[in-house]
Amino acid sequence: PFAGAGSAAMPLWDFTGSTMVTSQYVRLTPDERSREGSIWNRVPCFLKDWELHVHFKIHGAGKKNLHGDGLALWYTQERLTPGPVFGSKDNFHGLAIFLDTYPNDEATERVFPYISAMVNNGSLSYDHSKDGRWTELAGCSADLRNQNHDTFLAVRYSRGRLTVMTDVEDKNEWKNCIDIAGVQLPTGYFFGASAGTGDLSDNHDIISMKLFQLMVEHPVEDETVDWTKIEPRVSLLKSPKDNVDDPTGNFRSGPLTGWKVFLLLLCALLGIIVCAVVGAVVFQKRQERNKRFY
């Protein structure tokens, strides 16, 4: 419930920065430049399997690419710590879902707004200049800004599988965006949301955040695990702790740029030419040998 107004406190929630509470929504940032705000739950989550539904609205006066920067949803160890990553802390521990509305990388082939997921154990830094591409686990494009209908996002974590779904097309149905197996997140972290603006701006509103417990059976051996001590990681990929000096994080290969495509085509063409020349020489040698024989 939106108890209180303005900068008054809300039950079980803390907020910081430019965040304002109204009777209908929590506005993390107004449509003004150089603002940042966040809202965090005070109660840590000790559920092993959960699903978070977020009703949000990103809107503003800016047209085309004259708006920014975006909204982030968090399940992290840290809370109420302002920073450069959509208004919150970098090098965090836990899970972040980014709803990025502005392309900082001019060479990107992504269609914005773009939703991406990142798991961090404190060793990785989010690179805004590349829109987080090097630390992204997966992502999808979603037309979620300046919509006249309700927009929703769901984050499900169950038995090591992370799923992100959207409902932004006014169809009242979930559309798959991200599905990753092998994700390990500890219990005892906090849910939050933050947003930031720079030279360009938007209103970033949270209308509701609803958390559901999922009733899922776990293997017997899971009962002996202290889930509060688990390191956030993706077990099917290289641990981010091993990639401190690797700017790509080894989470995924970067997209094929124009130079990479050109080099691949050039190598393929040279390979074909070499094979053709060798084949022609071999054929000529055989022809000469056959003539001498007869």
Side-chain angles (χ1 to χ4, degrees):
F2 302 106
S7 59
M10 291 174 60
L12 305 179
W13 293 88
D14 292 317
F15 53 91
T16 185
S18 61
T19 303
M20 296 289 288
V21 180
T22 75
S23 60
Q24 296 179 319
Y25 53 81
V26 176
R27 177 154 291 170
L28 301 175
T29 71
D31 191 359
E32 299 173 5
R33 297 168 60 181
S34 302
R35 297 296 191 97
E36 61 181 34
S38 65
I39 183 168
W40 291 88
N41 199 267
R42 296 176 185 170
V43 182
C45 173
F46 289 100
L47 302 177
K48 296 177 184 177
D49 306 90
W50 47 263
E51 185 167 320
L52 178 70
H53 291 186
V54 182
H55 184 185
F56 67 95
K57 188 172 182 65
I58 300 176
H59 58 106
K63 304 297 182 182
K64 293 185 178 179
N65 285 335
L66 299 177
H67 55 81
D69 284 331
L71 174 71
L73 303 172
W74 305 92
Y75 176 67
T76 57
Q77 186 180 51
E78 305 85 359
R79 61 187 295 272
L80 283 175
T81 308
V85 185
F86 297 90
S88 195
K89 183 182 185 299
D90 201 357
N91 298 100
F92 58 90
H93 293 75
L95 168 70
I97 306 295
F98 301 119
L99 285 67
D100 195 347
T101 57
Y102 183 79
N104 292 288
D105 185 2
E106 296 180 356
T108 184
E109 298 178 359
R110 294 174 175 174
V111 177
F112 281 72
Y114 188 83
I115 301 172
S116 64
M118 176 180 176
V119 172
N120 199 353
N121 63 3
S123 67
L124 295 176
S125 180
Y126 181 86
D127 186 357
H128 263 292
S129 64
K130 295 296 182 181
D131 300 310
R133 183 166 69 246
W134 306 130
T135 51
E136 171 197 332
L137 293 177
C140 73
S141 299
D143 189 10
L144 48 80
R145 183 181 175 273
N146 270 356
Q147 296 290 0
N148 293 322
H149 51 263
D150 292 334
T151 49
F152 301 88
L153 184 131
V155 184
R156 177 187 298 161
Y157 177 67
S158 180
R159 297 190 67 176
R161 180 175 291 274
L162 175 68
T163 309
V164 177
M165 299 169 287
T166 62
D167 180 6
V168 298
E169 300 176 352
D170 201 24
K171 295 182 178 180
N172 197 30
E173 61 183 27
W174 293 117
K175 180 179 179 181
N176 287 332
C177 173
I178 297 171
D179 191 357
I180 310 167
V183 178
Q184 294 196 22
L185 298 174
T187 59
Y189 281 12
F190 296 90
F191 286 103
S194 69
T197 64
D199 293 335
L200 302 173
S201 62
D202 255 340
N203 297 300
H204 297 95
D205 300 340
I206 297 292
I207 300 169
S208 71
M209 296 178 69
K210 300 178 180 180
L211 183 68
F212 300 89
Q213 179 180 9
L214 302 178
M215 305 305 294
V216 178
E217 291 187 4
H218 282 260
V220 177
E221 54 267 24
D222 284 359
E223 299 299 326
T224 61
V225 176
D226 185 353
W227 291 87
T228 63
K229 305 296 184 182
I230 292 176
E231 180 186 78
R233 64 192 182 98
V234 183
S235 61
L236 300 184
L237 302 173
K238 191 175 181 180
S239 173
K241 180 177 286 186
D242 301 328
N243 303 319
V244 176
D245 297 325
D246 184 355
T248 67
N250 276 348
F251 273 102
R252 57 180 295 180
S253 300
L256 287 177
T257 61
W259 277 108
K260 290 181 180 179
V261 173
F262 173 76
L263 290 175
L264 285 174
L265 292 176
L266 181 61
C267 291
L269 181 60
L270 290 175
I272 293 173
I273 292 174
V274 170
C275 290
V277 171
V278 171
V281 171
V282 171
F283 179 77
Q284 186 176 3
K285 293 284 186 183
R286 287 183 176 177
Q287 290 292 98
E288 292 176 354
R289 188 182 306 147
N290 290 338
K291 287 180 180 178
R292 288 197 300 268
F293 179 78
Y294 289 111

